[in-house]
């Protein structure tokens, strides 16, 4: 009869369990855009967004390839780059405008909330001028 082996040290058990990927970790992925393979390191939480971009770019490339059969691959890539850059700039302008409006609204609300009770009109409301 052989004696049973000593139970493994708890620390060794935890060493055998692979670390789980968390949303704070970066992952290495490879995407394929119109046949061009690109290796990326992205936050774990952004993988789905990266895959969505890959899919959207490939769909646009395929669509424009069919619509513009005489365009070279480089011309199509340039058209796609321009399309996305113009969207980016339009959204940036909208964001800046909205941020300005929100800042102004927040300042107005802060002013209203900072008014003293003696600023109230006869109905008990702040007199807005």
């Amino acid at each position: 009869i052989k004696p049973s082996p000593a139970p493994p040290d708890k620390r060794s058990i935890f060493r055998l369990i692979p670390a789980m990927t968390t949303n704070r970790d970066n992952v290495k992925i490879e995407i394929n855009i119109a046949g061009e393979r690109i290796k990326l390191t992205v936050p774990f939480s952004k993988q789905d967004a990266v895959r969505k971009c890959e899919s959207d770019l490939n769909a646009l490339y395929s669509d424009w390839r069919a619509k513009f059969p005489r365009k070279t691959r480089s011309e199509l890539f340039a058209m796609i780059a321009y399309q996305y850059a113009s969207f980016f700039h339009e959204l940036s302008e909208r964001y800046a405008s909205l941020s300005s409006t929100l800042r102004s609204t927040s300042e107005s609300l802060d002013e209203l909330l900072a008014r003293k009770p003696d600023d109230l009109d006869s109905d008990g409301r702040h007199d807005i001028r």
Side-chain angles (χ1 to χ4, degrees):
I1 298 177
K2 291 184 180 179
S4 61
D9 181 76
K10 285 184 181 178
R11 286 173 286 167
S12 65
I13 292 172
F14 290 113
R15 219 175 333 119
L16 297 175
I17 299 173
M20 296 194 59
T21 304
T22 67
N23 283 340
R24 293 182 303 222
D25 293 335
N26 287 334
V27 293
K28 292 180 180 185
I29 62 174
E30 185 175 278
I31 61 173
N32 181 335
I33 298 174
E36 296 294 328
R37 297 196 175 283
I38 303 166
K39 292 182 180 186
L40 302 171
T41 300
V42 299
F44 180 80
S45 62
K46 300 292 183 191
Q47 288 181 92
D48 290 341
V50 170
R51 293 294 180 197
K52 176 75 171 123
C53 286
E54 175 187 29
S55 174
D56 290 349
L57 285 166
N58 279 318
L60 184 58
Y61 179 81
S62 294
D63 184 43
W64 283 3
R65 189 88 179 126
K67 284 183 182 177
F68 307 106
R70 293 182 179 209
K71 297 283 184 191
T72 66
R73 198 172 152 88
S74 294
E75 288 174 311
L76 290 171
F77 281 136
M79 290 166 57
I80 291 169
Y82 174 78
Q83 181 75 28
Y84 274 82
S86 67
F87 287 156
F88 174 79
H89 287 289
E90 181 181 339
L91 288 174
S92 294
E93 289 172 6
R94 287 183 185 183
Y95 177 82
S97 176
L98 181 59
S99 292
S100 176
T101 300
L102 287 173
R103 235 183 333 273
S104 176
T105 302
S106 178
E107 289 168 2
S108 296
L109 288 172
D110 288 344
E111 288 175 19
L112 283 172
L113 292 171
R115 288 189 178 181
K116 295 183 171 78
D118 57 337
D119 292 339
L120 298 176
D121 63 16
S122 61
D123 294 335
R125 298 182 191 165
H126 284 288
D127 183 23
I128 300 174
R129 294 178 205 159

